[in-house]
Amino acid sequence: PPISPLSITFDGQTGTMSPEGPVLTRRMSDLAGLFADTAAWEAAVADGDPVVYQVASSPVPEAEGELPQSITTILPGTVAGEFHMTKGHQHPNPQGEIYLGLSGTGGLLLFDGERPQWIDMAPGVIGYIPPGWAHRSVNTGDEPYRFLAVYPGNAGHDYGWVLANGMGHRVYRGEGATPRFEPFTATP
Ligand code: 6PG
Ligand code: NI
């Protein structure tokens, strides 16, 4: 049955929602095949397998017609200079998605298979993901980067597409606050 109308409160500084649905934790070992420097990634997995990001969901189900929300918290850090990031995915049932920056600084890397695009994200910024664009979030700062995502409940999540096609760019710590972009190279 469809969910009843509800109010959800969230804390943009901690990334929690109330009432809260499932919370997903992605550790370094869950990001196999994504960072360019495989040896550095293996060393991080061996050295405590740190949490890279968490996704707290509201109770709204991933069902046709619904609009589920989640808050992603990406902890700061790099793997051989490449910023902590989400796995990234395509929505197999292509539909738009909205991100709202809550705390920290980061970016939204989008890729349609040909053109990489970048949106700087910070508190108060809405990043819009059009249908058909794969998306990955990157923490480009020194504190947790958090954003709220709202997406159609029947969009689905395809992670294999990003493993096969990459995201067009890789994002590294650069000079000062400006990230450095390099063309995507397949992980060996
Ligand atoms: C979504 C959103 C977002 C995303 C998380 C984690 O479609 O649900 O894009 O909530 O899932 O930021 O990123 P990954 O799904 O790529 O691990
Ligand atoms: Ni998405």
Side-chain angles (χ1 to χ4, degrees):
I3 193 165
S4 299
L6 81 163
S7 157
I8 301 160
T9 52
F10 68 90
D11 184 338
Q13 300 305 309
T14 61
T16 51
M17 304 180 110
S18 178
E20 195 165 65
V23 180
L24 180 78
T25 298
R26 298 249 207 242
R27 293 182 175 274
M28 193 61 81
S29 55
D30 297 313
L31 278 67
L34 296 177
F35 290 101
D37 191 327
T38 305
W41 170 78
E42 281 173 355
V45 171
D47 187 15
D49 194 14
V51 172
V52 179
Y53 61 98
Q54 285 193 306
V55 185
S57 303
S58 85
V60 175
E62 289 190 340
E64 169 125 36
E66 303 282 6
L67 280 173
Q69 317 96 42
S70 60
I71 295 178
T72 301
T73 299
I74 309 178
L75 298 177
T78 63
V79 174
E82 190 174 3
F83 279 124
H84 278 185
M85 59 189 180
T86 60
K87 293 174 73 164
H89 57 264
Q90 272 283 19
H91 292 292
N93 183 356
Q95 294 172 82
E97 179 167 1
I98 289 168
Y99 281 12
L100 170 64
L102 299 178
S103 65
T105 51
L108 178 48
L109 180 61
L110 301 116
F111 189 46
D112 67 351
E114 291 173 8
R115 295 161 294 172
Q117 297 265 315
W118 176 258
I119 297 174
D120 279 315
M121 293 293 294
V125 175
I126 293 172
Y128 179 61
I129 303 161
W133 287 76
H135 41 287
R136 162 180 288 162
S137 296
V138 182
N139 185 341
T140 58
D142 296 320
E143 10 168 335
Y145 162 54
R146 296 189 173 87
F147 62 94
L148 174 77
V150 185
Y151 57 100
N154 66 345
H157 291 82
D158 177 2
Y159 294 95
W161 190 93
V162 169
L163 280 168
N165 299 286
M167 285 296 303
H169 279 155
R170 292 185 175 282
V171 190
Y172 291 87
R173 189 182 293 285
E175 298 292 318
T178 311
R180 179 168 55 83
F181 296 90
E182 290 193 3
F184 172 77
T185 50
T187 301

